[in-house]
Amino acid sequence: MTYDPISRTFLDFFRERGHELVPDGSLIPPPGDPVLFTTSGMHPLTPYLEGRPHPLGRRLVNVQRCLRTTDLDEVGDRTHLTLFRMLGSWSLGDYDLPRSLRWGYELLRDGFGVPHERMHVTVFGGDDRVGPDEPSLRTWGELGLPVELTGEENWWSNGPTGPCGPDTEIFVWTGDGPPHGTPGTDERWMEVWNHVGMRYHRHGDGRLTPLRQPNVDTGMGLERLEMVLRGHRSVHEGESLVPWVGGVCDVWGLRDASLRVVGDHLRAGVVVVGDGVRPSNTGRGYVLRRLLRRTLTTLWRDEASRTLSDLPTAPVRHTLDSFRQSVTVDEVREVFTGEERRFRELLRRGRPVVLRRRSRGPLTDADYRDLHDTHGLPRDLVDGLLAEAG
């Protein structure tokens, strides 16, 4: 299965069970939302999870583009991406979490063909404020899946305040041979689907109060699911990443983690530009600037002549078409190369600053902070300039 049949299978399953399709929205949240980018499928639905009636009803489903920068340091491994698609389903005060778990198990086993014996689940085991998630524990016991009880790992929230609640995560074995161990002891157990019993609102002082209605919010990464279903070892073997892996390798000769980081960041940058963002020193523009400068820092690590003027056309066009964006490849290349020119000038001015600072002795954390805050030089770039100077 590739993206289209996976998405259709997921959407059709829930539409047959009374869910209405919510269209995929931009990465840009609506005005007044303090979050820079849509980070999960539930993000645009926050007002409805808090009790406002949704115009499409109480059962919803969609595939939403999302962008997260909290895992940037892990991008380049086999499972983390900056930009991804989230398969989501919601009950807005309608059915309960056990029903969602049964449907999730049914879809994975019968709809996607994931064998029962390759699944493992985790459940919130309680803390000093909320007790164990007994209904989920009973449901998985009835379905015969192995269960691991955890603490805060199975408590979901979209930030320090707002809707939250206990969740249960479904893991699938991605290793060779029969499964063994648990998600907590073997990384070959990969989290695929998260089902949240969203029942509380967390306040700024940490208090939890019940939401006006109990909800169910589920989210499953499309790229991760494709990896599982096609037996891949990495999300970078998937339909939307393969063009980037091939293009980046052909043009710049990168391999391994550097190849994956550059492909991931450029793909994310294309969609961010396609949704109307341009590089700047603040807000969304700064996130785009950071992605492009991390890309350039990686490209220049062992070859300073590499340039985004050579940005491969095919993966850019593939990504723009996939996300139905109207900007052109030339417009994307112009944004990227403009940021490259600014970054090269920053390096030209920053190199002597770094070397003067280093002449006083080894750099401290305070030096790194000042170089970043005063001169706009990130730590990895400072380290690169020092290595370059021997």
Side-chain angles (χ1 to χ4, degrees):
M1 280 190 167
T2 53
Y3 282 6
D4 284 347
I6 290 173
S7 298
R8 282 198 303 272
T9 299
F10 181 86
L11 296 175
D12 288 349
F13 180 90
F14 282 98
R15 293 177 79 172
E16 289 169 2
R17 288 155 181 79
H19 294 65
E20 295 295 328
L21 177 63
V22 179
D24 173 25
S26 165
L27 287 174
I28 312 303
D33 193 317
V35 178
L36 295 179
F37 291 102
T38 296
T39 59
S40 65
M42 63 76 61
H43 187 175
L45 298 175
T46 300
Y48 309 104
L49 292 165
E50 292 178 334
R52 181 191 303 175
H54 195 284
L56 294 177
R58 300 170 67 186
R59 297 185 180 190
L60 306 174
V61 65
N62 88 334
V63 182
Q64 171 65 45
R65 69 190 70 174
C66 303
L67 187 138
R68 292 181 185 173
T69 57
T70 52
D71 297 328
L72 275 186
D73 290 337
E74 296 182 77
V75 169
D77 67 5
R78 70 191 193 103
T79 62
H80 286 88
L81 294 170
T82 306
L83 173 82
F84 59 95
R85 291 177 171 94
M86 182 73 81
L87 302 164
S89 64
W90 295 272
S91 164
L92 304 179
D94 189 3
Y95 55 84
D96 59 13
L97 186 56
R99 176 178 290 190
S100 179
L101 300 183
R102 291 182 182 279
W103 280 344
Y105 172 74
E106 179 185 349
L107 177 55
L108 286 175
R109 186 194 62 187
D110 301 336
F112 291 122
V114 178
H116 172 96
E117 60 273 13
R118 296 177 75 88
M119 288 188 255
H120 198 298
V121 298
T122 59
V123 171
F124 181 66
D127 58 20
D128 56 355
R129 293 185 296 176
V130 179
D133 183 4
E134 297 286 357
S136 295
L137 192 59
R138 284 195 301 272
T139 301
W140 291 128
E142 292 166 2
L143 292 172
L145 286 181
V147 178
E148 181 180 0
L149 290 174
T150 74
E152 62 181 13
E153 300 94 329
N154 279 97
W155 182 270
W156 195 94
S157 64
N158 199 37
T161 62
C164 60
D167 69 37
T168 180
E169 297 171 346
I170 305 175
F171 291 77
V172 176
W173 177 254
T174 62
D176 295 326
H180 57 82
T182 68
T185 62
D186 196 314
E187 65 177 8
R188 288 172 293 182
W189 284 108
M190 189 174 72
E191 179 196 343
V192 172
W193 203 351
N194 192 8
H195 292 240
V196 184
M198 200 168 286
R199 303 196 296 265
Y200 301 97
H201 181 95
R202 178 187 286 158
H203 299 269
D205 59 5
R207 288 181 302 112
L208 297 178
T209 57
L211 288 172
R212 187 182 308 175
Q213 62 191 26
N215 309 291
V216 177
D217 160 38
T218 87
M220 177 160 53
L222 178 54
E223 290 84 356
R224 284 192 178 188
L225 181 59
E226 182 200 21
M227 172 185 161
V228 167
L229 298 182
R230 300 183 72 183
H232 291 161
R233 295 301 183 193
S234 164
V235 290
H236 296 272
E237 298 177 53
E239 179 184 353
S240 73
L241 275 300
V242 162
W244 285 105
V245 170
V248 168
C249 181
D250 291 345
V251 172
W252 293 303
L254 298 181
R255 295 290 188 274
D256 303 324
S258 294
L259 169 62
R260 295 188 290 271
V261 167
V262 169
D264 169 272
H265 285 14
L266 289 176
R267 173 176 173 261
V270 168
V271 178
V272 171
V273 169
D275 275 356
V277 178
R278 297 296 179 267
S280 69
N281 288 327
T282 60
R284 298 182 183 99
Y286 181 72
V287 173
L288 175 59
R289 171 161 287 170
R290 187 181 178 202
L291 288 172
L292 293 178
R293 292 185 175 183
R294 282 173 61 95
T295 296
L296 290 165
T297 300
T298 304
L299 285 176
W300 296 340
R301 189 169 292 147
D302 55 9
E303 181 51 71
S305 64
R306 288 171 175 152
T307 172
L308 292 180
S309 297
D310 297 329
L311 183 71
T313 297
V316 178
R317 181 175 293 118
H318 179 275
T319 297
L320 292 172
D321 290 346
S322 178
F323 286 90
R324 300 179 300 281
Q325 295 178 303
S326 59
V327 301
T328 66
V329 174
D330 287 341
E331 288 172 320
V332 171
R333 185 176 282 110
E334 182 179 353
V335 172
F336 284 12
T337 55
E339 183 58 24
E340 179 183 339
R341 287 192 296 272
R342 287 185 287 270
F343 195 37
R344 285 191 185 274
E345 175 60 19
L346 172 64
L347 293 181
R348 186 189 67 78
R349 292 185 284 107
R351 187 172 286 108
V353 173
V354 171
L355 296 182
R356 282 197 301 271
R357 187 70 63 93
R358 178 64 180 85
S359 69
R360 306 170 192 168
L363 299 187
T364 65
D365 286 342
D367 288 322
Y368 280 109
R369 284 194 299 272
D370 182 63
L371 288 168
H372 179 270
D373 296 343
T374 304
H375 303 281
L377 299 169
R379 188 180 188 116
D380 54 356
L381 178 58
V382 172
D383 289 340
L385 291 173
L386 292 173
E388 171 191 296

